[in-house]
């Protein structure tokens, strides 16, 4: 049993904090903070961008963290002005904050110091808009818009203020003249002893010591909170591990009981346990007999002549006829679909990456990415060239677009995202430029090293034709050629023409030559082979062929490949190649979408019409 523990509580790791500061320091975010009195929507946007980077935080947590960092920065900056470097050491992200805030209006340190260590939490009960208004006002003017709860001590200037004195002149007229220096000195020396004592006390207790004491108390309070939170999380993890151990123990006991029952089968030569010997068919005996009938027989060892053949073919399908194979695989597709649950977090059901999209081809990566979302993936990332990014982004706000494919460090930029991706689709709208194909090849190699399922289509197959070793022998690889792409690839590898009649043998031969990877040949009836078996997808489509249908298939195959291999690792499907299951599910889904869209739109059917049919078709095929 796998335990998914999302980001919890108020603990911020260094990686999260740096990511938050990078987002908060972007120019559009700073302009939004400066140009709006209410900034709650700004922190909601920051929270969404942070979630897209893989860190789940609420807008309120982002706002409180930013405020805490600004307070530490201001205190450290005040310490730097006093030639005390210990504050700079405490503010870990001082340089980043200095770079961001250097171009903004000066902030008042007293706003963050007077609140004390709990200043952030003290305003949690305020209205969100009021908090945002207070933050914006204080950041732009440096003044606090609300009365402070603590007493404020004012120090008067040491320069005397001239006070006009009325002097009576002849004819009872009066005139005003400023007092002389002796009068001003007498007024200034008339301060009370209490005021003088208070001034001496403040002089003996400088602001630097106050700041140092405050920083120590704040750091201690924060450390105590983090320790308590860590103990709580550790206790929670221990409880879950204990529950997991109990479940495993129960499963082991059930497995032992079932093995004892199966060892007592007739003809095995082992007598059943005494408590199972009864002449009356009780519920226990009926249940035991049902278990015995479901217990699989152990296969006999292969003969010497077949040993090599059996070892080379890892997967085998129980049904023998082509129709029964198709029905069997489609029934397995239903098993790999993850159930919807409120306990899951975003990204758990699939994060799919699309490698493709250039100036001439912007629709193909969009169709693949949006189809992945419609099938059930949580996030779709498109890695395209810079001149295609704005166009693809305008098609749908649901897509995460990365304009890095034609940058000099494209491989490094994409490799940073590979640990977060569950599968990769290479080729839709990629183009055939040499530097783009080279980038795609290196990304495929990096993905293979991480054991990520890979679907290659369109221009990605041009790369495979030129360099078959890029995907050859990778068991989690799926290629989806049409007949022209299949012909070009087959003749390159087999050095002979394709049999125009027997396509089944050609698909099987190509799969074997490619190291038993899964090949899906699109046509009047789709053919799927994995080097040992060929299955026909007989789901009826339509006579309408338009651009983008193959991209819909490759996007949905990327999601289903992730689900199939995850289900295979969990033991939900056995004896069948998971890539075959994914390819069959994607083929059936695409053909049925084509059929239903054609029934409504006829000759004017486009791929956009088919995308609208994905939801109801998927539910009808795999969720009944």
């Amino acid at each position: 049993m796998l335990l998914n523990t999302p980001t919890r509580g108020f603990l911020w790791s260094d990686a999260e904090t740096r990511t938050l500061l990078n987002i908060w320091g972007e120019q559009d975010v700073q302009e939004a903070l400066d140009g709006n009195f209410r900034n709650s929507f700004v922190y909601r946007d920051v929270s969404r961008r942070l979630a897209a980077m893989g860190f789940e935080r609420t807008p309120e947590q982002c706002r409180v963290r930013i405020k805490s960092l600004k307070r530490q920065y201001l205190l450290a900056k005040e310490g730097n002005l006093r030639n005390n470097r210990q504050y700079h050491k405490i503010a870990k992200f001082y340089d980043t904050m200095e770079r961001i805030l250097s171009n903004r209006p000066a902030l008042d340190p007293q706003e963050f110091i007077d609140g004390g260590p709990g200043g952030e939490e003290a305003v949690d009960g305020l209205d969100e808009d009021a908090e945002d208004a207070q933050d914006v006002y204080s950041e732009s003017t440096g003044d606090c818009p609300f009365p402070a709860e603590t007493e404020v001590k004012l120090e008067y200037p040491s320069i005397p203020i001239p006070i006009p004195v009325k002097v009576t002149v002849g004819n009872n007229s009066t005139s005003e003249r400023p007092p002389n220096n002796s009068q001003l000195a007498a007024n200034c020396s008339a301060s009370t002893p209490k005021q003088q004592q208070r001034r001496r006390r403040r002089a003996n207790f400088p602001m630097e010591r106050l700041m140092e004491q405050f920083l120590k108390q704040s750091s201690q309070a924060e450390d105590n909170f983090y320790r308590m939170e860590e103990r709580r999380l550790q206790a929670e993890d221990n409880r879950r591990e204990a529950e997991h151990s109990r479940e495993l123990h129960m499963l082991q006991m059930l497995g032992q009981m079932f093995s004892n029952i199966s060892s007592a089968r007739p003809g095995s030569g082992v007598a059943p346990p005494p408590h199972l010997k009864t002449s009356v068919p009780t519920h226990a005996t009926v249940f035991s007999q049902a278990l015995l009938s479901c217990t699989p027989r152990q296969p006999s060892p292969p003969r010497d002549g077949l040993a090599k053949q059996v070892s080379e073919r890892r997967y085998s399908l129980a049904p023998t006829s082509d129709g029964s194979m198709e029905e069997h695989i489609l029934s397995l597709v239903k098993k790999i679909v993850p159930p919807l649950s409120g306990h899951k977090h975003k990204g758990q059901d699939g994060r799919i990456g699309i490698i493709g999209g250039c100036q001439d081809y912007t629709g193909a990566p969009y169709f693949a990415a949006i189809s992945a979302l419609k099938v059930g993936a949580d996030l779709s990332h498109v890695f395209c060239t810079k001149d295609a990014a704005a166009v693809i982004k305008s098609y749908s706000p649901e897509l995460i677009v990365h304009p890095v494919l034609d940058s000099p460090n494209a491989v490094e930029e994409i490799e940073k995202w590979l640990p977060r991706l569950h599968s990769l689709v290479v080729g839709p709208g990629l183009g055939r430029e040499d530097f783009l194909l080279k980038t795609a090849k290196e990304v495929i190699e990096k993905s293979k090293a991480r054991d990520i399922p890979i679907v290659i289509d369109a221009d990605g197959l041009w790369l495979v034709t030129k360099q078959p070793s890029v995907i050859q022998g990778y068991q989690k690889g799926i290629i989806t050629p049409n007949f022209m792409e299949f012909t070009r690839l087959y003749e390159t590898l087999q050095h002979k023409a394709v049999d125009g009649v027997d396509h089944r043998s050609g698909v099987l031969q190509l799969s074997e030559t490619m190291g038993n990877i899964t090949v899906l040949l699109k046509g009047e009836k789709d053919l799927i082979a994995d080097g040992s078996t060929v299955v026909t997808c007989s789901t009826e489509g339509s006579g309408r062929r338009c651009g983008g249908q193959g991209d819909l298939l490759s996007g949905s195959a990327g999601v289903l490949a992730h689900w199939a291999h995850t289900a295979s690792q969990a033991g939900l499907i056995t004896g069948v190649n998971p890539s075959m299951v994914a390819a069959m599910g994607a083929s059936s889904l695409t053909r049925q979408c084509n059929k239903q869209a054609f029934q409504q739109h006829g000759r004017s059917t486009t791929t956009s019409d088919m995308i609208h049919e994905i939801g109801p078709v998927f539910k009808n095929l795999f969720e009944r």
Side-chain angles (χ1 to χ4, degrees):
M1 178 179 294
L2 299 175
L3 298 173
N4 294 306
T5 305
T7 305
R8 300 171 294 182
F10 296 93
L11 295 174
W12 286 78
S13 65
D14 291 348
E16 283 182 286
T17 303
R18 291 192 183 93
T19 305
L20 174 65
L21 287 177
N22 290 337
I23 297 173
W24 180 72
E26 292 179 0
Q27 183 178 0
D28 57 338
V29 175
Q30 293 297 311
E31 291 176 354
L33 289 173
D34 293 337
N36 295 274
F37 190 73
R38 298 176 180 269
N39 61 10
S40 57
F41 74 97
V42 179
Y43 284 101
R44 284 195 290 269
D45 182 61
V46 171
S47 176
R48 285 193 295 268
R49 298 189 192 183
L50 194 63
M53 301 293 288
F55 302 108
E56 297 289 337
R57 289 291 180 177
T58 65
E60 179 61 15
Q61 289 176 339
C62 295
R63 187 192 68 81
V64 170
R65 182 57 174 166
I66 289 295
K67 191 170 183 179
S68 174
L69 292 171
K70 286 197 289 186
R71 185 181 73 242
Q72 296 176 11
Y73 162 77
L74 291 174
L75 294 176
K77 188 172 184 180
E78 183 71 16
N80 286 339
L81 295 177
R82 299 176 183 272
N83 296 323
N84 192 334
R85 302 297 296 179
Q86 61 179 333
Y87 304 104
H88 194 173
K89 295 179 181 178
I90 294 177
K92 183 185 299 184
F93 304 96
Y94 178 90
D95 295 334
T96 304
M97 296 293 293
E98 175 69 16
R99 174 178 56 81
I100 297 174
L101 297 178
S102 59
N103 297 325
R104 297 197 58 186
L107 303 181
D108 185 5
Q110 196 67 20
E111 174 189 0
F112 299 93
I113 298 174
D114 291 343
E120 299 170 14
E121 289 75 17
V123 298
D124 286 344
L126 296 177
D127 182 71
E128 181 183 24
D129 294 334
E131 293 174 353
D132 298 337
Q134 181 177 356
D135 287 343
V136 175
Y137 186 86
S138 62
E139 288 176 2
S140 60
T141 65
D143 299 328
C144 181
F146 304 113
E149 296 181 359
T150 59
E151 181 182 358
V152 179
K153 297 180 181 180
L154 301 177
E155 292 196 18
Y156 295 95
S158 59
I159 302 176
I161 302 175
I163 302 174
V165 179
K166 291 184 179 180
V167 180
T168 302
V169 193
N171 298 329
N172 294 327
S173 62
T174 61
S175 62
E176 296 183 356
R177 63 182 181 183
N180 56 26
N181 293 336
S182 61
Q183 290 175 340
L184 292 175
N187 291 334
C188 293
S189 62
S191 59
T192 62
K194 290 185 177 180
Q195 293 177 347
Q196 296 176 358
Q197 183 180 2
R198 191 178 299 113
R199 290 175 184 172
R200 287 194 299 269
R201 188 181 306 162
R202 284 197 295 269
N204 295 331
F205 200 65
M207 184 61 183
E208 183 176 347
R209 293 181 58 189
L210 287 174
M211 292 177 59
E212 182 177 357
Q213 183 179 0
F214 166 75
L215 285 174
K216 288 182 179 180
Q217 293 177 355
S218 177
S219 178
Q220 291 176 358
E222 190 172 3
D223 291 341
N224 292 336
F225 171 77
Y226 286 159
R227 282 195 293 269
M228 292 176 60
E229 189 70 10
E230 288 177 358
R231 286 196 293 267
R232 185 185 66 81
L233 295 177
Q234 184 64 33
E236 182 71 14
D237 293 339
N238 292 338
R239 183 185 63 80
R240 293 188 179 185
E241 289 179 0
E243 292 181 356
H244 182 58
S245 300
R246 286 195 295 270
E247 292 177 357
L248 289 178
H249 182 64
M250 293 177 61
L251 291 175
Q252 291 174 356
M253 293 178 60
L254 287 173
Q256 185 65 29
M257 184 184 69
F258 292 160
S259 64
N260 292 336
I261 294 175
S262 62
S263 63
R265 297 177 61 178
S268 61
V270 180
H275 62 279
L276 293 180
K277 292 182 178 181
T278 177
S279 58
V280 181
T282 62
H283 292 289
T285 57
V286 172
F287 179 69
S288 301
Q289 292 175 0
L291 287 175
L292 291 175
S293 62
C294 295
T295 303
R297 296 180 180 273
Q298 296 293 332
S300 58
R303 297 179 181 178
D304 296 338
L306 299 177
K308 181 177 180 181
Q309 180 180 359
V310 172
S311 62
E312 290 178 349
R313 297 188 176 183
R314 178 181 175 185
Y315 303 102
S316 61
L317 298 175
T320 56
S321 64
D322 195 40
S324 60
M325 285 184 183
E326 180 183 3
E327 294 177 358
H328 177 61
I329 297 178
L330 288 177
S331 66
L332 294 179
V333 177
K334 299 180 180 180
K335 293 183 179 181
I336 70 173
V337 177
L340 299 176
S341 172
H343 299 289
K344 294 183 177 180
H345 58 80
K346 180 176 62 178
Q348 191 170 349
D349 282 343
R351 296 185 291 271
I352 312 302
I354 311 296
I355 306 297
C358 59
Q359 184 177 8
D360 296 331
Y361 305 105
T362 59
Y366 161 74
F367 286 137
I370 200 68
S371 300
L373 289 178
K374 291 283 188 178
V375 169
D378 292 340
L379 296 171
S380 280
H381 296 259
V382 179
F383 300 90
C384 61
T385 61
K386 293 181 180 179
D387 48 12
V391 180
I392 298 173
K393 188 66 176 178
S394 67
Y395 293 153
S396 174
E398 286 88 358
L399 306 183
I400 304 173
V401 182
H402 307 270
V404 299
L405 196 56
D406 54 349
S407 61
N409 58 338
V411 178
E412 290 76 9
E413 291 292 333
I414 300 175
E415 186 179 9
K416 293 190 300 187
W417 288 91
L418 290 182
R420 305 178 187 178
L421 300 180
H422 292 127
S423 66
L424 203 66
V425 180
V426 181
L430 178 63
R432 297 181 181 179
E433 298 290 339
D434 291 339
F435 67 95
L436 294 178
L437 295 176
K438 180 180 178 182
T439 300
K441 176 187 176 182
E442 294 183 16
V443 171
I444 292 175
E445 296 294 342
K446 300 288 185 181
S447 303
K448 288 164 56 178
R450 291 186 173 275
D451 202 32
I452 300 175
I454 302 173
V455 179
I456 300 181
D457 185 37
D459 293 327
L461 294 173
W462 178 266
L463 171 63
V464 175
T465 303
K466 299 296 182 182
Q467 303 181 47
S469 61
V470 70
I471 195 66
Q472 191 170 18
Y474 186 58
Q475 296 304 309
K476 290 188 178 181
I478 302 175
I479 60 175
T480 59
N482 56 28
F483 184 74
M484 293 300 298
E485 294 165 338
F486 170 77
T487 301
R488 184 165 51 240
L489 186 58
Y490 181 89
E491 292 177 353
T492 299
L493 296 177
Q494 299 294 333
H495 305 289
K496 62 181 180 180
V498 177
D499 189 341
V501 179
D502 188 8
H503 290 169
R504 294 176 62 92
S505 61
V507 174
L508 185 61
Q509 292 174 12
L510 179 61
S511 177
E512 291 177 347
T513 306
M514 292 294 296
N516 296 334
I517 69 170
T518 300
V519 179
L520 194 162
L521 173 59
K522 296 173 288 189
E524 182 180 359
K525 289 186 177 182
D526 294 348
L527 298 176
I528 307 169
D530 66 346
S532 61
T533 308
V534 181
V535 183
T536 303
C537 179
S538 60
T539 302
E540 183 180 357
S542 74
R544 173 62 172 160
R545 294 291 183 269
C546 59
Q549 297 184 35
D551 304 313
L552 189 154
L553 184 144
S554 62
S556 58
V559 183
L560 293 173
H562 163 56
W563 291 351
H565 286 282
T566 302
S568 177
Q569 294 173 1
L572 297 180
I573 58 174
T574 57
V576 181
N577 189 339
S579 297
M580 287 278 287
V581 177
M584 177 61 73
S587 175
S588 300
L589 177 69
T590 304
R591 298 175 70 89
Q592 188 65 29
C593 288
N594 180 266
K595 177 182 178 181
Q596 292 190 190
F598 184 78
Q599 291 175 351
Q600 298 183 36
H601 305 280
R603 186 177 293 273
S604 65
T605 301
T606 62
T607 303
S608 298
D609 301 322
M610 295 173 57
I611 289 176
H612 292 309
E613 301 295 331
I614 292 179
V617 169
F618 187 92
K619 183 177 182 180
N620 184 53
L621 287 177
F622 307 130
E623 293 185 323
R624 288 193 304 173

